[in-house]
């Protein structure tokens, strides 16, 4: 069981590094392409909104295909798009290069999550997702900071070339070592998967992810810019600071994976409240390097924990269609990422980088209030969707009508 999970985690590292790489490259990319940082930040929004819009539909359709081949195709698509990004002469071509892999993120992440849970069992879903999420954390620990260091030494285009090479290598590893697999559960017809949206609690959980990730990425999208303009770090120091921020996330990923299986909503609140506190303190703490480090550690740990927590929380809200539920969370999270990038850019233009932490904390506080509302609503009912989906589920090859 462990080897397939680690292979998927390694592939997820490349997939999520491709998504988040701009966090460390925005200042240099904006300067080279002749646009402002807030304008370049719209590339993050484009990627996120494309994921949000396409995720449920593409995942529901591609869930019928054999997983190994699908994952390999996604990685090769990422390799081609990263090469295009490396050659982009302007913001328009860069936007196209970012749009292509955005279509593959929800398919890979949702089906890899379902595969992980199939391997580990529902009772260990949180730990299985945390293993897969380890790739996400490594994207922030190693991928984004390394891309920043490469950009500082060789230019931001070199970072995309490195990502293209990594995508091909991960596709090769999956081809050689990952066993062929399909979902362990009979696949529901496409229209039956969408019936989970009739449960208002599922919608509530997705909305919670939207708001939470909006708050997270209002500040995180511009973290490199915060390091440069608030803390006065140069390019190489920014890379190491991003690596330290991601490294503490390893703690959060482990904690989130262990706590979430007991009560997903409680776990979400446990990490959201201290993250909001860390976001409020990050700007005042910049005057003292030790205090700044502690504040960033609090932010990094809690943010990393909320990746697996949010994913498992939404998947468990619709256990009759876990891959589709995972795609809903990915769409919700990326909608939040896109909105957060816009909000953060507007905050920078209006009041400066120093306002990012306060704005982000306020949005996270709204997610906490929604979490309490969902707790009062009780557990999601499987009801009609289960009856319809299970009674009419068909073999994987015939699942789409």
């Amino acid at each position: 069981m462990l080897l397939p999970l680690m292979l998927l985690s390694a592939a997820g590292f490349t997939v999520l590094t491709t998504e988040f790489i701009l966090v460390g490259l925005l200042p240099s990319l904006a300067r080279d392409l002749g646009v402002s940082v807030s304008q370049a930040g719209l590339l993050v929004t484009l990627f996120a909104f494309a994921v949000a819009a396409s995720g449920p539909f593409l995942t529901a359709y591609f869930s019928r295909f054999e997983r190994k081949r699908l994952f390999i195709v996604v990685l090769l698509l990422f390799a081609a798009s990263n090469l295009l990004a490396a050659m982009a002469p302007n913001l328009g071509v860069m936007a196209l290069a970012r749009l292509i892999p955005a279509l593959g993120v929800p398919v890979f992440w949702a089906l890899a999550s379902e595969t992980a849970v199939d391997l580990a069992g529902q009772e260990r879903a949180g730990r299985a997702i945390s293993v897969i999420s380890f790739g996400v954390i490594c994207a922030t620990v190693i991928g984004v900071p390394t891309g920043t260091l490469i950009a500082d030494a060789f230019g931001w285009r070199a970072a995309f070339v490195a990502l293209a090479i990594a995508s091909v290598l991960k596709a090769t590893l999956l081809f050689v070592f990952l066993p062929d697999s399909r979902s362990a559960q009979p696949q529901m017809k496409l229209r039956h998967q969408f019936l989970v949206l009739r449960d208002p609690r599922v919608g509530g959980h997705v909305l919670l992810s939207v708001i939470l990730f909006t708050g997270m990425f209002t500040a995180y999208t511009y973290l490199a810019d915060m390091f440069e303009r608030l803390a006065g770090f140069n390019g190489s120091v920014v890379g190491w600071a991003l690596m330290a921020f991601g490294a503490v996330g390893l703690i959060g990923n482990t904690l989130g994976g262990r706590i979430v299986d007991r009560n997903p909503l409680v776990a979400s609140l446990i990490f959201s409240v201290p993250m909001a506190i860390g976001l409020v303190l990050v700007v005042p703490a910049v005057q003292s390097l030790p205090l700044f480090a502690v504040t960033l550690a609090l932010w990094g740990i809690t943010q990393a924990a909320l990746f697996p927590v949010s994913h498992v929380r939404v998947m468990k809200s619709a256990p009759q269609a876990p891959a589709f539920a995972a795609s809903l969370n990915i769409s919700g999270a990326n909608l939040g990422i896109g909105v957060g990038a816009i909000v953060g850019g507007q905050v920078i233009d209006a009041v400066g980088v120093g306002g990012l932490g306060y704005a982000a904390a306020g949005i996270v506080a709204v997610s906490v209030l929604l979490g309490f509302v969902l707790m009062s609503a009780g557990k999601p009912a499987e009801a009609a969707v289960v009856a319809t989906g299970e009674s009419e589920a068909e073999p994987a090859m015939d699942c789409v009508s």
Side-chain angles (χ1 to χ4, degrees):
M1 180 190 79
L2 185 58
L3 178 59
L5 292 181
M6 294 304 296
L7 288 171
L8 292 174
S9 179
F13 163 79
T14 302
V15 169
L16 271 296
T17 299
T18 297
E19 178 170 6
F20 296 147
I21 188 70
L22 282 183
V23 169
L25 304 184
L26 277 183
S28 58
L29 182 147
R31 286 191 292 266
D32 190 46
L33 296 183
V35 298
S36 68
V37 171
S38 58
Q39 287 175 317
L42 293 176
L43 292 170
V44 178
T45 298
L46 171 68
F47 195 108
F49 282 179
V51 173
S54 65
F57 302 98
L58 291 178
T59 301
Y61 178 76
F62 284 106
S63 62
R64 63 177 178 165
F65 291 97
E66 195 275 322
R67 303 291 191 254
K68 176 178 176 178
R69 296 175 187 175
L70 187 62
F71 295 153
I72 291 172
V73 169
V74 168
L75 285 168
L76 293 178
L77 183 69
F78 270 62
S81 62
N82 281 320
L83 284 178
L84 179 61
M87 298 183 290
N90 52 52
L91 197 64
V93 176
M94 177 59 74
L96 176 62
R98 297 298 290 169
L99 179 62
I100 295 170
L103 303 178
V105 166
V107 175
F108 176 88
W109 192 244
L111 297 180
S113 300
E114 182 190 49
T115 301
V117 174
D118 285 344
L119 290 169
Q122 283 291 335
E123 69 281 358
R124 295 175 62 86
R127 296 194 182 189
I129 296 298
S130 71
V131 173
I132 302 296
S133 296
F134 185 76
V136 181
I137 306 306
C138 284
T140 58
V141 174
I142 300 172
V144 173
T146 300
T148 305
L149 293 172
I150 290 173
D152 184 60
F154 305 106
W156 61 267
R157 297 179 189 275
F160 284 105
V161 173
L163 270 176
I165 295 171
S167 299
V168 173
L169 290 176
K170 299 299 173 58
T172 303
L173 285 174
L174 293 184
F175 177 77
V176 174
F177 296 108
L178 187 69
D180 294 343
S181 64
R182 292 182 183 271
S183 172
Q185 301 296 326
Q187 295 297 304
M188 288 193 295
K189 291 182 178 181
L190 185 62
R191 65 177 181 269
H192 294 153
Q193 295 186 56
F194 279 91
L195 287 177
V196 303
L197 295 173
R198 295 173 63 179
D199 187 340
R201 295 179 189 84
V202 174
H205 279 276
V206 174
L207 178 60
L208 177 55
S209 290
V210 173
I211 298 173
L212 183 57
F213 277 77
T214 297
M216 288 162 57
F217 279 81
T218 290
Y220 181 68
T221 301
Y222 302 97
L223 184 57
D225 201 33
M226 293 172 70
F227 283 152
E228 283 192 7
R229 292 206 267 175
L230 290 181
F233 296 163
N234 61 32
S236 60
V237 176
V238 168
W240 290 111
L242 287 171
M243 188 170 293
F245 181 88
V248 298
L250 295 172
I251 301 171
N253 182 63
T254 301
L255 291 174
R258 290 183 177 276
I259 293 175
V260 67
D261 283 324
R262 301 173 190 173
N263 191 314
L265 267 175
V266 170
S268 185
L269 298 176
I270 285 174
F271 293 109
S272 295
V273 172
M275 184 173 70
I277 294 172
L279 288 166
V280 168
L281 294 177
V282 68
V283 173
V286 77
Q287 303 301 324
S288 168
L289 188 57
L291 183 59
F292 188 52
V294 171
T295 303
L296 287 173
L298 178 62
W299 177 9
I301 290 171
T302 52
Q303 176 167 297
L306 285 165
F307 278 94
V309 167
S310 297
H311 209 57
V312 174
R313 174 175 50 75
V314 178
M315 288 181 74
K316 289 195 172 186
S317 75
Q320 67 276 18
F324 183 69
S327 74
L328 291 175
N329 179 67
I330 294 165
S331 290
N334 277 275
L335 178 59
I337 290 171
V339 173
I342 293 175
V343 172
Q346 293 297 314
V347 170
I348 291 174
D349 291 341
V351 300
V353 180
L356 288 173
Y358 301 110
I363 298 170
V364 172
V366 174
S367 76
V368 171
L369 294 177
L370 178 57
F372 281 114
V373 172
L374 290 174
M375 287 180 67
S376 66
K379 295 183 178 180
E382 300 178 23
V385 181
V386 177
T388 305
E390 290 186 353
S391 64
E392 299 186 42
E394 299 179 3
M397 291 298 293
D398 301 314
C399 65
V400 179
S401 57

